[in-house]
Amino acid sequence: MEVIKNQIKFFIERGNYMKKVICLFSAFLLLLSSAMTTYAHEADSQDYLSIPSYNETYSEQPTGAPEADSQDYLSIPSYNETYSGQPTDNDFLSLQEYNAEYSNGENPLEQPTDNDFLSLQEYNNEYSNGENPLEIDSPLTTQNDPDICAISPIRKQTKSIILANQKVKVGTVTLQYQTDIKGGRPQFLYDTCYLGHPNITTYWKLETSNVKFSGDRISVYLSFTYGSFQDHAWVYFYPN
């Protein structure tokens, strides 16, 4: 009888021990779950990374890549000012717009001559070889200054050079010019007329060239040779 009582007591005590182990294990799992939830919440609390922050943190950066604030980067207006031949920003004014807005008709800015265009006198000096220099059909006068309000924007005309006898095109020549209204019609302004270098595109060789100027027409005479052959061409420009 005593032995049976001892065995019952042993199983009761052992059962209490297992209950304690199970309770402790359950408490451990609950604590672990709480910790994972807290970690996940903390991770979410970062509100995620912006795309630039993500790139800065995780993307591979190529060696030597310029910084975002490097001088290698230009704003669009800065880029136009530095590199663009024809900026479209409203902060840029053409010479005609500048003169119209600021000169009040006094001392307008003059169009600079670039290397691609020659004044009529420069053209003759370079191509006429001293023969038939610039001729002016109607004498220039300075008694009446051009009316800046009637002066046209800077324009260009490109004409073909066609040989008079062979009837073939040998190249082109371009006139850059401005006009003024005189007598109700446009007239070339002598000081703003510039001829480009003749662009010869065939085997014919340009020998001489000269220019005749009037307000109504600019005439360019060109002579060519090809071996023992000789030919010439006239190119005419009219104001518009």
Side-chain angles (χ1 to χ4, degrees), residues 51-67:
I51 291 176
S53 298
Y54 181 91
N55 287 335
E56 182 179 357
T57 305
Y58 296 106
S59 294
E60 294 183 1
Q61 298 294 328
T63 304
E67 297 293 335

Side-chain angles (χ1 to χ4, degrees), residues 176-196:
Q176 176 180 289
Y177 65 98
Q178 287 180 280
T179 60
D180 186 22
I181 300 299
K182 295 291 184 182
R185 68 182 191 277
Q187 298 277 288
F188 283 121
L189 284 176
Y190 176 79
D191 291 334
T192 63
C193 292
Y194 298 93
L195 274 169

